[in-house]
Amino acid sequence: MRPIWDALSFVLSDRYASTSSQDGMIVASFFYLWLWVCLGKGKISNDKQCSQKYAQTRFLSFCIITIMKSNLPSIYQYSDFRRFLDEYQRAREMQNESFSRSAICKRLGLPNTRNFLNNVIAGRKVTPTYVERFVRVFEFDGEEARFFRVLVKYNQAENTEEKELYLEQLISLNKTPKKIVDKKAFMFFKEWYHSVIRSILDVFDFTEDYKSLARTLYPPISPKQAKNSIELLNSLGLIIKDSNGCWRPSDKSITTSPYIKDDLIFQYQMQCLELAKQAILYRYHHPQNITTNIISISKDGYTRIHKKIDKFRAEIRSLVHKDSNPSECVYQLSIQLFPAAKILKRNNAA
């Protein structure tokens, strides 16, 4: 039996010693602790290759490595690969001075430059070739490597359709207990009509007539989409049934991870802008107020306008909250303030 245990022990040790993941290191540490104890009690042959001293050394080394890795940032907590590279490199260099940015450039196959990593962090596009080199240099395990590849594609996507596709893949690849975003929360922000239906339920006495509910939206959706939306809102706790059996909005709000929240809201806002465009094109038979102004201002003027907008939004929320009359309609209020031109710094006249 002892030769079998010896063979098994070395197979297991090679399996977990070859991984750079924290879980793999923990498994390897406990394995070598078990091996150390068994060798000391004589339960396993103690030959030249498999000595108690060997097991003791390996156990201590894996414990040290595991502790070091536990203090490093986890890629699964990031929605920006550039931010991850920056923070991971800084943290690892504090543990090991040889993991400097210039050293990383050499390991990436760029011995004559020290700024490549800095340029990537600043926004330089990363090609598939260098993605694979980063995987090797940062010693990602299989799952981490897959997540990193998709994360790069997500950050470098050139349109909202691609970003949505890669975000779904990131959610499915994230195996940690602390997800970047809950799948149901992602589905809520993915479609514009979920939030609209939730507000409609404050006006519309809806029981199970999905066809009528679907027709109330601008633009209309299908009854199946309306039914799926009600099921999603219910599962998120965003709607509840009143005493008459009608669905109503609850007081619960939806929350997301700060790492991914901006990206979800960005996609949602893109859909809202598309709705605003349709409102202008089709001019729905309801009162609406759509205005546009192009202005030239100073930086101080911009700051004051920004504060005014924040104050106005707060006043609108207060007005809605204090509105004691029954709700009769659903409106979308969008406010945009963005640069319309890139102006070089003005030269002062002599």
Side-chain angles (χ1 to χ4, degrees):
M1 288 294 295
R2 286 184 175 180
I4 297 177
W5 280 105
D6 292 346
L8 178 61
S9 67
F10 282 110
V11 169
L12 289 173
S13 66
D14 289 342
R15 162 66 179 87
Y16 289 107
S18 61
T19 181
S20 63
S21 69
Q22 183 178 341
D23 290 342
M25 293 295 182
I26 293 174
V27 172
S29 298
F30 278 105
F31 167 73
Y32 281 110
L33 175 61
W34 167 82
L35 185 62
W36 179 11
V37 173
C38 290
L39 286 169
K41 294 182 177 180
K43 293 184 178 180
I44 303 178
S45 60
N46 193 356
D47 56 25
K48 187 175 182 179
Q49 280 188 315
C50 186
S51 65
Q52 186 178 12
K53 185 68 175 178
Y54 166 80
Q56 178 184 358
T57 304
R58 296 287 282 180
F59 167 69
L60 294 175
S61 65
F62 272 103
C63 284
I64 294 172
I65 294 173
T66 303
I67 293 172
M68 292 176 64
K69 287 185 70 65
S70 66
N71 294 325
L72 294 174
S74 169
I75 191 172
Y76 297 115
Q77 306 301 322
Y78 289 81
S79 63
D80 185 341
F81 81 92
R82 294 183 174 89
R83 180 179 176 182
F84 167 76
L85 292 177
D86 180 30
E87 296 183 2
Y88 182 92
Q89 183 276 325
R90 292 176 186 273
R92 189 162 172 180
E93 187 179 18
M94 292 182 65
Q95 297 180 354
N96 184 355
E97 294 181 356
S98 66
F99 205 75
S100 64
R101 300 199 173 187
S102 58
I104 290 175
C105 290
K106 292 180 180 179
R107 296 178 188 178
L108 290 171
L110 299 168
N112 298 323
T113 180
R114 297 182 178 181
N115 297 320
F116 180 75
L117 181 57
N118 289 331
N119 293 338
V120 168
I121 293 172
R124 177 172 176 170
K125 189 172 183 178
V126 181
T127 64
T129 299
Y130 280 97
V131 168
E132 296 307 314
R133 293 186 184 184
F134 273 117
V135 168
R136 175 177 52 82
V137 172
F138 279 71
E139 300 174 334
F140 297 135
D141 64 23
E143 292 183 352
E144 291 171 339
R146 284 189 289 273
F147 188 89
F148 179 76
R149 293 185 187 103
V150 176
L151 184 59
V152 173
K153 292 179 181 178
Y154 171 71
N155 292 145
Q156 298 186 157
E158 297 180 353
N159 56 63
T160 55
E161 290 78 11
E162 286 185 356
K163 288 186 74 71
E164 184 177 308
L165 172 65
Y166 294 130
L167 181 56
E168 289 181 358
Q169 293 181 24
L170 288 175
I171 293 172
S172 64
L173 288 172
N174 196 316
K175 306 298 183 182
T176 60
K178 186 178 180 180
K179 305 285 187 181
I180 55 175
V181 62
D182 182 80
K183 288 185 179 181
K184 291 181 180 178
F186 169 73
M187 294 302 298
F188 177 84
F189 286 104
K190 183 180 178 181
E191 302 293 350
W192 62 271
Y193 52 79
H194 295 311
S195 58
V196 176
I197 287 179
R198 183 170 184 253
S199 295
I200 287 175
L201 296 179
D202 198 29
V203 181
F204 185 73
D205 291 333
F206 170 74
T207 51
E208 302 296 332
D209 188 355
Y210 296 103
K211 188 175 182 180
S212 297
L213 177 62
R215 285 200 302 261
T216 63
L217 279 76
Y218 289 138
I221 61 174
S222 69
K224 182 178 180 181
Q225 288 175 315
K227 181 179 180 181
N228 292 338
S229 182
I230 291 293
E231 291 175 351
L232 175 65
L233 293 172
N234 182 35
S235 67
L236 288 168
L238 297 176
I239 58 174
I240 55 175
K241 282 191 173 183
D242 63 12
S243 58
N244 296 321
C246 297
W247 287 106
R248 301 297 182 192
S250 68
D251 294 330
K252 183 178 178 181
S253 60
I254 192 168
T255 59
T256 61
S257 166
Y259 291 109
I260 204 70
K261 183 177 181 180
D262 290 343
D263 295 309
L264 286 176
I265 292 178
F266 168 77
Q267 294 188 44
Y268 176 73
Q269 288 175 334
M270 292 294 291
Q271 296 183 62
C272 290
L273 290 175
E274 182 64 27
L275 293 175
K277 184 175 73 173
Q278 293 190 38
I280 295 173
L281 289 173
Y282 299 109
R283 297 188 179 277
Y284 303 129
H285 301 297
H286 290 278
Q288 58 184 31
N289 188 332
I290 299 175
T291 59
T292 303
N293 296 96
I294 300 295
I295 56 178
S296 57
I297 51 174
S298 65
K299 290 184 178 180
D300 180 63
Y302 168 81
T303 301
R304 284 185 288 169
I305 292 175
H306 197 287
K307 290 181 179 179
K308 285 282 187 180
I309 291 174
D310 288 342
K311 183 179 179 181
F312 172 69
R313 291 176 64 243
E315 291 174 349
I316 292 294
R317 288 195 297 268
S318 176
L319 187 152
V320 172
H321 180 70
K322 294 178 180 179
D323 187 5
S324 59
N325 298 318
S327 299
E328 299 174 289
C329 50
V330 176
Y331 273 80
Q332 175 180 300
L333 174 64
S334 298
I335 303 173
Q336 292 86 37
L337 178 64
F338 55 88
K342 182 179 181 181
I343 305 298
L344 298 176
K345 188 175 180 180
R346 175 179 292 177
N347 294 323
N348 295 325

